[in-house]
């Protein structure tokens, strides 16, 4: 970026100036003009392009084509495209003429030294540093866009460390550099120029709190070679020319986009002229690059699974074994959080949300730690990946600030626990949008039970076979269908789900064919809804393998009619249904399979920077 440098020439002595390759320098010839001047000529040595800009209405012309009438409206513009080999090795000469004299009245000479300065990064998002052909000061979304990407360096590359990598101003291990973005300062020109000129890397005080810059000051295979030069209270840094024409910097993000921070960060390098001891340093040129901090991206249940997490507590041995078998079928790694760490807190889904961050050169998982802070609050630190901690009142702002996954707000006040997984889930599908949305449906359940009653199965019992829980009483289909309070409450629940259904159809662009109604009943506890039998949509989705709460529905011909109905709805999609008994360790505590598990998944194949929010 040019600072519109203007150089004034003198008749009394030659003038020297520094110009930057490809950047225009304006030459002022009006400060010292011989008496009687009517015209002038301008010539440049090879490599120096000189133009005359007559007026705003007329395009500029090359200066060496003719003599020019002396007019204070004229502007002389000088451009050099190649750096100089020595100081003052190029020049511009101005000859002043009068119609009364055959020889020039006087000459003015401007000696030029050209330097090439560029602050480069991965502007084209291809994993390579490139500063050409795009405006580095702009960050543009879309497949044809440009602009560098910065990761919040919140993982732990050093297993022995108890803190995330961007916790302090040190590079803890060389693997940490892979999570940073490379920024390169390239300079070409005479070394003698930098005896009285200096380069300063700088940023704003607000951006210094959101990112940190390390300068490579020694052998790159040594952690001690990486010096923190910008970040926190450091807003400027005089760049020593340690490696000749190229200085390398690594940039790490400290904060995700959030309320008041749209995610854009700017870094600048400025060439300062300190050659005149009588004046303060003058800026000659500034180059700027803009980074966007990569958003935190949530992974939906439709993405392929990589690793399943579950807690081992006092009474869930069978549940853990069933989840382990499902993970084995799905080809996933299983991580069990031991009771010594979870302190009998089994709700690992509520404790954290697993997602990732991505740049062209690196992708890594990031845990969004919920504001719940139960007994599992240390598990994301110790056993998994990294986390971005937030409190309840700013979660909405945080999600909106990521821009790539605008949240859809649903009505859940009617639920006792208040989680959307009590009535909503998504499973992969081979057609259409690539997924189906599953909604809990009291209406579908009543229809199923009415059909079974008409076929003579009204006395079939729910909750037969529930093991180890004497508090559960069986209830027949006939009793369910004659319970007016239950029917009335489920009509209310259905109306709440239908309201959310319309919101989701509108926000996600869904048609009714994209939605599957899963039979489910709810009961009232303190005027809030909880699952009447284990909540079938509250399932663990591992690709084509589904871990569904075993509903203990009415047995008809030796088969649970609820399980059979769910199979009939989902197996045509190529899905495999496994029903897991979570009744005592989870359902009785107002949770189900999904609440008691969590999954790290593959990132989206689509790159987030290719979208246009």
């Amino acid at each position: 970026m040019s600072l519109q440098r203007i150089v004034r020439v003198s008749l009394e002595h030659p003038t020297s100036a520094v110009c930057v390759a490809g950047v225009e320098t304006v030459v002022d010839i009006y400060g010292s003009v011989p008496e009687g001047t009517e015209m002038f000529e301008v010539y440049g040595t090879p490599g120096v392009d000189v133009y005359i800009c007559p007026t705003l209405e007329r395009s500029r012309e090359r200066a060496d084509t003719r003599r020019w009438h002396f007019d204070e409206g004229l502007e002389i513009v000088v451009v050099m495209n190649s750096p100089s080999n020595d100081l003052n090795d190029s020049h511009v000469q101005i000859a002043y003429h009068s119609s009364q004299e055959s020889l020039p009245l006087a000459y003015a000479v401007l000696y030029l030294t050209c330097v090439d300065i560029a602050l480069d990064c991965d502007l084209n998002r291809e994993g390579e540093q490139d500063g050409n052909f795009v405006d580095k000061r702009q960050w543009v979304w879309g497949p044809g866009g440009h602009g560098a990407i910065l990761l919040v360096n919140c993982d732990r590359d050093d297993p022995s460390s108890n803190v995330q990598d961007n916790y302090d101003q040190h590079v803890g291990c060389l693997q940490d550099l892979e999570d940073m973005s490379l920024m390169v300062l390239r300079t070409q020109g005479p070394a003698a120029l930098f005896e009285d000129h200096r380069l300063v890397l700088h940023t704003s005080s607000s951006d210094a709190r959101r990112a940190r810059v390390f300068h490579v000051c020694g052998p790159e295979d040594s952690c001690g070679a990486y010096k923190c030069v910008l970040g926190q209270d450091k807003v400027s840094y005089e760049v020593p020319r340690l490696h000749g024409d190229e200085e390398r910097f690594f940039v790490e993000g400290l904060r995700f986009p959030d309320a008041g921070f749209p995610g854009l960060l700017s870094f600048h390098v400025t060439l300062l002229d300190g050659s005149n001891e009588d004046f303060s340093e003058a800026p000659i040129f500034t180059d700027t690059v803009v980074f966007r901090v990569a958003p935190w991206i949530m992974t939906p249940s439709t993405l392929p699974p990589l690793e399943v997490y579950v807690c081992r507590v006092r009474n869930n041995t069978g549940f853990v074994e069933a989840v382990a078998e499902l993970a084995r079928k799905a080809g996933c790694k299983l991580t069990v959080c031991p009771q010594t760490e979870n302190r009998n807190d089994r709700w690992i889904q509520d404790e954290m949300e697993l997602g990732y961050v991505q740049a062209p050169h690196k992708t890594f998982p990031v845990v969004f730690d919920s504001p719940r802070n139960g007994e599992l609050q240390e598990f994301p630190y110790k056993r998994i990946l990294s986390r971005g901690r937030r409190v309840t009142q700013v979660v909405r702002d945080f999600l909106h600030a990521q821009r790539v996954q605008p949240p859809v707000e649903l009505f859940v006040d009617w639920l006792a626990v208040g989680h959307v997984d009590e009535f909503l889930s998504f499973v992969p599908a081979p057609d259409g949008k690539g997924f189906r949305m599953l909604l809990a449906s009291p209406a579908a359940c009543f229809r199923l039970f009415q059909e079974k009653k008409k076929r003579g199965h009204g006395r079939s019992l729910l909750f037969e076979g529930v093991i180890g829980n004497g508090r559960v009483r069986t209830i027949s289909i006939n009793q369910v269908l004659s319970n007016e309070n239950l029917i009335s409450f489920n009509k209310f629940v259905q109306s709440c789900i239908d309201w959310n259904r319309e919101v989701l159809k509108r926000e996600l662009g869904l048609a009714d064919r994209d939605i599957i109604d899963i039979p489910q009943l709810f009961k009232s506890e303190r005027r809030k809804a909880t699952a009447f039998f284990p909540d079938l949509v509250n399932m663990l989705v591992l690709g084509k393998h589904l871990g569904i709460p075993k509903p203990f529905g009415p047995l008809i011909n030796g088969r649970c009619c609820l399980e059979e109905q769910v199979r009939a709805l989902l197996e045509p999609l190529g899905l495999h249904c496994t029903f897991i008994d979570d009744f005592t360790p989870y359902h009785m505590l107002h949770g189900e399979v999904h609440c008691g598990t969590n999954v790290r998944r593959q990132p989206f194949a689509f790159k987030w920077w290719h979208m246009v929010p």
Side-chain angles (χ1 to χ4, degrees), residues 9-21:
V9 295
S10 170
L11 296 176
E12 300 174 359
H13 53 78
T15 306
S16 297
V18 175
C19 63
V20 176

Side-chain angles (χ1 to χ4, degrees), residues 195-253:
E195 294 176 3
D196 52 17
H197 290 70
R198 64 190 184 110
L199 290 163
V200 176
L201 186 70
H202 55 103
T203 189
S204 67
S205 58
S206 58
D207 285 357
R209 293 191 296 270
R210 296 161 176 161
R212 189 178 288 127
V213 178
F214 294 89
H215 183 201
V216 184
C217 296
E220 294 196 12
D221 59 354
S222 169
C223 291
Y226 298 88
K227 175 185 177 182
C228 180
V229 297
L230 294 182
Q232 302 298 341
D233 57 339
K234 301 174 182 178
V235 296
S236 65
Y237 170 64
E238 181 177 350
V239 183
R241 302 185 79 225
L242 301 177
H243 304 93
D245 294 344
E246 183 175 293
E247 299 296 327
R248 289 161 58 86
F249 301 87
F250 286 87
V251 189
E252 67 177 0

Side-chain angles (χ1 to χ4, degrees), residues 522-539:
F522 294 82
K523 59 184 178 181
S524 176
E525 291 191 8
R526 298 180 181 178
R527 304 179 68 181
K528 299 287 187 178
T530 63
F532 183 72
F533 51 80
D535 195 341
L536 291 162
V537 299
N538 195 296
M539 64 179 67

Side-chain angles (χ1 to χ4, degrees), residues 341-352:
E341 291 186 20
N342 65 56
R343 288 170 286 186
N344 222 44
D345 185 348
R346 67 201 68 203
W347 309 116
I348 196 167
Q349 181 67 228
D350 300 343
E351 183 60 36
M352 60 190 183

Side-chain angles (χ1 to χ4, degrees), residues 67-95:
R67 288 186 181 181
W68 299 87
H69 287 282
F70 194 81
D71 183 343
E72 292 194 5
L74 295 178
E75 189 173 76
I76 300 175
V77 174
V78 173
V79 180
M80 294 184 69
N81 293 308
S82 299
S84 298
N85 295 317
D86 299 296
L87 292 176
N88 301 324
D89 63 357
S90 299
H91 69 267
V92 172
Q93 179 175 281
I94 301 105

